[in-house]
Amino acid sequence: MDQILDAEGLSEIAPSVEAFLQQTFGEPLALDINPELLCAAVLREQAQLVGFGLAYLREVQQGDSVFSAGIIGSIAVAPAQRKRGYSKKLMDALEQQLCAAGADSAFLFAYQPAIYHSSGFEALEIPIRFFDKQSGALQQFVYRGGMVKLYSSCFSLSTETIEFNGCVY
C-alpha cells in the first residue's frame, strides 16, 4: 500500500481524491472527513492515483450488545487499473487498520457486492437503522448491497435491527 493517511493527511490531498472519485464513479462525491474517520488508503502507480478507500470507526448497537464497528467506504479503482487485485489490496490495508483500532466487525455498502466476497464479506441481511443524509431522517431497512465481516469467532450478530448510530459511508 502506498499510503495510509489520517484525517489531516487526507485533507491535504482532498481535491485530487475528489476529482479521482468523480472520474471513477461518474458523479461528484465529496469526502466525508469527520471524527469517525480512522484512515484513508491511497494506491498510486507511477505517481498517479489508481486506488482509494476510507475506513471509519464507531460504536453500534444490536439489542443489549454494543460493539466497535468499522465502516469501509469510497473504495475506488481507476477503470484502466481494474482486474489487478487493487480492490483487495485496499481492503486488506483498511481492515488491518480497523483491527488494530479494535473493531469487532466491518460493514460496507457496495454497488457491486460480489467484489468483496474474496475479502471475506458476506451479505448483510439484518435491518439497520441509520441516519439518511438525503432525507435528514432515520431510516430502517435491509440495505441492498450491505455487507459485513466479523473479526472474532467470539462475536456474532443476531437477527435484531442494528442501531448504526449515524450514516452509512
Side-chain angles (χ1 to χ4, degrees), residues 11-93:
S11 294
E12 293 173 9
I13 65 165
S16 63
V17 170
E18 288 176 342
F20 170 75
L21 293 173
Q22 181 169 354
Q23 182 180 27
T24 303
F25 291 123
E27 60 186 62
L29 185 66
L31 292 173
D32 199 342
I33 301 173
N34 64 50
E36 291 182 332
L37 179 67
L38 177 65
C39 67
V42 178
L43 184 59
R44 297 183 195 286
E45 191 172 276
Q46 298 175 357
Q48 184 82 18
L49 184 60
V50 297
F52 179 79
L54 296 169
Y56 297 87
L57 190 64
R58 80 161 58 123
E59 296 290 307
V60 300
Q61 185 171 351
Q62 188 179 49
D64 293 333
S65 298
V66 176
F67 55 96
S68 180
I71 306 163
I72 296 174
S74 299
I75 299 293
V77 174
Q81 304 297 325
R82 293 182 182 157
K83 305 288 185 195
R84 296 183 184 187
Y86 289 160
S87 288
K88 180 103 170 82
K89 190 180 251 191
L90 290 164
M91 292 296 294
D92 289 348

Side-chain angles (χ1 to χ4, degrees), residues 9-10 19 25 28 42 45 49 76 89 97 104 115-116 122 155 165:
L10 178 57
F25 291 123
V42 178
E45 191 172 276
L49 184 60
K89 190 180 251 191
Q97 296 296 312
D104 298 303
I115 293 170
Y116 303 100
E122 298 177 2
F155 177 75
N165 297 326

Side-chain angles (χ1 to χ4, degrees), residues 70-140:
I71 306 163
I72 296 174
S74 299
I75 299 293
V77 174
Q81 304 297 325
R82 293 182 182 157
K83 305 288 185 195
R84 296 183 184 187
Y86 289 160
S87 288
K88 180 103 170 82
K89 190 180 251 191
L90 290 164
M91 292 296 294
D92 289 348
L94 294 170
E95 287 190 83
Q96 184 177 19
Q97 296 296 312
L98 286 169
C99 287
D104 298 303
S105 61
F107 295 85
L108 62 86
F109 302 90
Y111 294 116
Q112 298 177 4
I115 293 170
Y116 303 100
H117 289 292
S118 67
S119 292
F121 281 80
E122 298 177 2
L124 178 63
E125 298 179 2
I126 302 166
I128 63 169
R129 187 178 350 263
F130 64 98
F131 180 76
D132 181 49
K133 291 180 184 181
Q134 285 186 311
S135 69
L138 288 174
Q139 301 286 332
Q140 178 179 319

